[in-house]
Each structure stands twice: as C-alpha cells, then as structure tokens.
Amino acid sequence: MNLLATLLLAGIAAPIVEEYIFRGLISQRLTKAYGAQIGLIGSSLIFGLTHLLNGVFDFWSAVQLIIAGTLAGALFWLTSRWYQTLWAGIVLHAGYNVLTSVIPIDAHTSNDWPIQYLLNQPNRLMTGGEYGADCSLITMITLIITLGCIYFATCNSKRAIF
C-alpha cells in the first residue's frame, strides 16, 4: 500500500502540481518580466529550494539538494519549452519520480520497497547525503550533461528556446 501511495503521489500528483507552479506560473511570470534566461534560472532555483521542505538536512545535504533540484528543474523547463507544452515537463518529471520510487537507490535499507539498490559508500557525494541518490554527484553530472546536450541541440534549431 505504501508503494502504491508513493507512486500516485510521486508519479501523478507531484509532477502535475509542481510543473504547473514552477514551469507554468513562476517561470512564465519571470520570463515575461525579465526574459527566458531569468525564467529558467529563477524558476529552477526556486524549485530546488522548495525541495528543502522535504525534511531536515545537514548543511551539505541541503547544498546537494538545492543543486540537484535546480538542475532537474532546468531539465523540466527546457523540455516543456522545447515541446511548447507543460505536459512534456510533467511526463518527464513523472517518469523520473516513478523510476526513483520503484527502484530506490539509497545508503540505508528500507523494508517498504520490493526492489532497492544499496550504496555501500561512505562518501556523501556518491550517496547524495541525507536526501539520497537524487542528489548524488553522479546524478548531478548526468543532469549537467543532459542539459548541455539539449541546450546545444536547440541552439541550432529553428525553434530556439532563448
């Protein structure tokens, strides 16, 4: 039952609400007032900061969460902007949340999940700290590479994002 509730919340409710708020309302207002770059950076940073509400974290875990959340927010923003629909960001966000919910990668065992991957690593950069693998250095590097690929692919497109 816990898995089902998590999937409904993380896979449906959270992506719809978060994308509407951050890419729909906040980004559009910032973009209209200050341009697309500020819309991207501002809404993505606020998205990352908002995820601090998920719990109480030590300083370095909070820093990792803000960076990873901001990078993920930028990815969702670029996707919505490229496809010119908020639903593109919602689908990507939902897929990300479902994948990380169904197969959690963590440094601690949980009896709530049927499948999990345990990181046997004391380094918080590798485990993501208190938040988990969503904030690991590997995740952040993957997000940066993906963002770079999307950005450079769209620079030469007739459908420019910026």
Side-chain angles (χ1 to χ4, degrees):
M1 191 60 164
N2 193 14
L3 181 60
L4 179 61
T6 299
L7 289 176
L8 289 174
L9 183 63
I12 298 172
I16 291 172
V17 171
E18 289 179 352
E19 291 306 305
Y20 178 74
I21 291 170
F22 295 103
R23 262 55 73 192
L25 299 175
I26 295 172
S27 173
Q28 286 180 7
R29 294 219 168 115
L30 287 173
T31 299
K32 188 178 283 186
Y34 304 105
Q37 289 88 354
I38 299 299
L40 165 64
I41 295 166
S43 65
S44 299
L45 182 58
I46 294 168
F47 178 76
L49 289 167
T50 301
H51 282 78
L52 289 174
L53 299 173
N54 287 342
V56 177
F57 305 106
D58 67 24
F59 177 76
W60 291 112
S61 291
V63 168
Q64 283 180 253
L65 176 58
I66 293 167
I67 293 169
T70 301
L71 291 170
L75 180 60
F76 303 148
W77 187 93
L78 283 172
T79 303
S80 291
R81 187 82 174 210
W82 174 255
Y83 287 102
Q84 299 175 342
T85 176
L86 201 54
W87 284 104
I90 291 170
V91 169
L92 181 61
H93 192 158
Y96 181 86
N97 285 0
V98 166
L99 182 64
T100 58
S101 294
V102 171
I103 306 174
I105 300 172
D106 207 342
H108 308 289
T109 304
S110 170
N111 295 325
D112 295 337
W113 310 113
I115 301 170
Q116 57 187 297
Y117 182 81
L118 294 178
L119 296 171
N120 188 14
Q121 174 64 247
N123 187 326
R124 76 172 49 246
L125 281 174
M126 298 310 289
T127 63
E130 295 172 316
Y131 192 79
D134 289 3
C135 300
S136 72
L137 184 61
I138 294 167
T139 300
M140 288 188 263
I141 290 170
T142 303
L143 287 167
I144 290 168
I145 290 169
T146 305
L147 284 166
C149 290
I150 292 171
Y151 176 76
F152 288 115
T154 59
C155 281
N156 297 324
S157 171
K158 292 180 175 135
R159 277 191 340 199
I161 291 178
F162 295 104

